[in-house]
Amino acid sequence: KATEFYNEVDPTIPGEIPNDTGGLTPLSESERSYKFEGYLVYQLLNDQVTYDPKDLGNPDKARLIAQFDEKNGVTQIINHTWNDNLATWDDVEMVNGKNEGVKHVLRISADAFGGGSAELINYKTYYFTILAYAHNEYRKFEYTNVPSPNYTQQKPYLPGRLNVRTYTAIPHKPV
């Protein structure tokens, strides 16, 4: 059962795709839609870290501390991008989910940038971001020798872009 209700038709997914008999098979609106799949929770080095994938993918700036995804059988999601320099496909693992269900509460008890000590420091400001992501695999990706459209899903992972912000937390001893 879905816990979030993001569902958006991707206009780049065709309404019909070629089938094995030489005809066309129509795709439903559901097959052409990205659906909410989960959240990635990052601790950020500071408030200057952006939501750019280059920052979130840089362990000197951002560290993935939690991942939650729908309990629906979708686990590892890989995007495929054509590399002109190597004339081949680059496969990038975007998420490797646990398929345990979405949680909306997270207790953070360690500093991912703590170095020798992972203990949180009282009254120090920590920075976090939560990135929702969606999934669509209307047709499993098939490798080709050229970057031509073969009517298979090259990018099943789609990160959120309008719902991302930096959150701060300052631990302290309770009174």
Side-chain angles (χ1 to χ4, degrees):
K1 179 181 171 187
T3 56
E4 307 293 339
F5 301 105
Y6 176 84
N7 186 37
E8 189 71 30
V9 172
D10 182 349
T12 67
I13 297 175
E16 299 176 318
I17 57 174
N19 59 34
D20 295 338
T21 63
L24 294 174
T25 300
L27 294 176
S28 69
E29 188 172 292
S30 177
E31 290 171 308
R32 296 175 46 231
S33 296
Y34 277 91
K35 296 168 188 69
F36 171 82
E37 181 59 30
Y39 296 108
L40 301 171
V41 183
Y42 293 89
Q43 181 178 337
L44 308 177
L45 179 64
N46 55 42
D47 63 350
Q48 301 303 304
V49 178
T50 69
Y51 313 119
D52 184 291
K54 290 178 183 175
D55 273 4
L56 292 180
N58 181 344
D60 292 331
K61 294 183 176 184
R63 306 235 172 123
L64 183 66
I65 60 169
Q67 182 274 331
F68 304 108
D69 64 324
E70 294 284 358
K71 191 173 185 177
N72 60 5
V74 175
T75 54
Q76 185 184 46
I77 304 175
I78 297 174
N79 279 358
H80 312 275
T81 306
W82 181 257
N83 183 324
D84 284 326
N85 294 330
L86 299 176
T88 189
W89 291 97
D90 288 336
D91 297 337
V92 178
E93 181 181 72
M94 305 307 291
V95 69
N96 196 349
K98 296 178 183 172
N99 203 42
E100 295 177 348
V102 173
K103 297 179 182 175
H104 294 98
V105 176
L106 175 64
R107 182 170 188 244
I108 299 169
S109 58
D111 180 356
F113 291 97
S117 171
E119 192 172 305
L120 295 174
I121 299 170
N122 283 331
Y123 305 105
K124 176 182 175 183
T125 303
Y126 292 91
Y127 302 91
F128 302 92
T129 194
I130 303 166
L131 181 65
Y133 63 94
H135 174 262
N136 172 292
E137 198 160 21
Y138 68 92
R139 191 167 172 194
K140 190 160 179 62
F141 181 74
E142 295 175 8
Y143 293 91
T144 60
N145 293 328
V146 293
S148 63
N150 62 356
Y151 303 101
T152 62
Q153 181 58 286
Q154 296 173 14
K155 299 198 183 302
Y157 168 90
L158 181 68
R161 57 187 175 81
L162 299 176
N163 59 343
V164 185
R165 68 177 202 158
T166 299
Y167 297 89
T168 59
I170 302 173
H172 59 278
K173 293 181 181 182
V175 179

